[in-house]
Amino acid sequence: MNISFKPIEKIDLPSVTAIYNYYVENSTATFHLAPVSEQEMETTLLLGHRLYKSFVILSEGAIVGFCYLGQFRKKEAYDISSEVTLYIKHDFTGKKIGGSVLAFMEQEAKKLGLKNLVGVITSENKGSLKLFERNGYFKCGHLKNIGIKFGKALDVISYQKEI
């Protein structure tokens, strides 16, 4: 599947928010318990930030997902690192998009002078764990029973790649 990327603009927020809220309501991929608003999504994506960038993922002109580089920690010494996040529309998962998305995000991160990318993944999200491992990320942390969603205690696993 051919995909392309475009920086997220305000006009994209309804589509991006709908993709994210699908995972809020139907999965443990995110720890939000209730759908988020477009305004909250805009704040999360840090639109227009000089360092942390966000993109829609396009296939044949249609939005099939989004990805972003987010602030790893709020202290300046961490500004060489970023959390990398991606969400693919649920009916487009399993189409080998994820590897291309990570490769693109790594290129963008390098252009911005970032040195490390970190993925923070719920342990139940086996597809994402495999995606990060296949793309050269190493497991660097495992928090046990750190959150509860759908009445179930969940682990979170962190993966890192030095770029």
Side-chain angles (χ1 to χ4, degrees):
M1 170 179 287
N2 288 331
I3 60 169
S4 60
F5 301 87
K6 175 185 86 70
I8 294 177
E9 301 174 42
K10 285 190 180 205
I11 194 166
D12 302 314
L13 287 172
S15 296
V16 167
T17 304
I19 292 168
Y20 184 75
N21 282 335
Y22 171 86
Y23 288 97
V24 170
E25 295 174 326
N26 298 288
S27 80
T28 57
T30 173
F31 276 21
H32 274 110
L33 301 178
V36 301
S37 68
E38 290 175 24
Q39 292 76 25
E40 189 173 357
M41 182 57 68
E42 182 177 359
T43 300
T44 297
L45 297 173
L46 299 169
L47 296 186
H49 194 280
R50 67 166 185 80
L51 188 58
Y52 305 114
K53 304 297 180 186
S54 57
F55 302 89
V56 288
I57 305 163
L58 302 166
S59 176
E60 297 180 15
I63 295 175
V64 298
F66 69 99
C67 52
Y68 64 96
L69 298 169
Q71 190 172 31
F72 177 68
R73 296 282 186 270
K74 291 190 183 223
K75 296 176 179 88
E76 300 86 10
Y78 289 113
D79 284 352
I80 63 165
S81 302
S82 176
E83 184 174 339
V84 61
T85 302
L86 61 127
Y87 284 92
I88 307 296
K89 224 173 180 181
H90 73 279
D91 49 345
F92 281 84
T93 59
K95 298 184 185 291
K96 306 292 182 193
I97 296 172
S100 298
V101 173
L102 283 179
F104 172 78
M105 295 302 285
E106 290 167 17
Q107 290 172 350
E108 291 298 311
K110 284 178 185 176
K111 288 183 204 172
L112 295 165
L114 295 168
K115 305 295 182 200
N116 299 284
L117 292 179
V118 177
V120 180
I121 307 161
T122 309
S123 62
E124 284 191 347
N125 193 343
K126 303 298 184 203
S128 286
L129 296 174
K130 287 178 185 174
L131 170 67
F132 277 79
E133 289 170 0
R134 276 194 314 266
N135 286 278
Y137 288 73
F138 65 91
K139 183 178 176 179
C140 61
H142 191 139
L143 300 171
K144 299 210 178 257
N145 299 317
I146 197 71
I148 295 178
K149 188 167 182 183
F150 304 135
K152 183 177 182 180
L154 300 165
D155 295 359
V156 169
I157 301 174
S158 296
Y159 280 83
Q160 178 183 350
K161 185 173 186 178
E162 294 180 88
I163 55 170

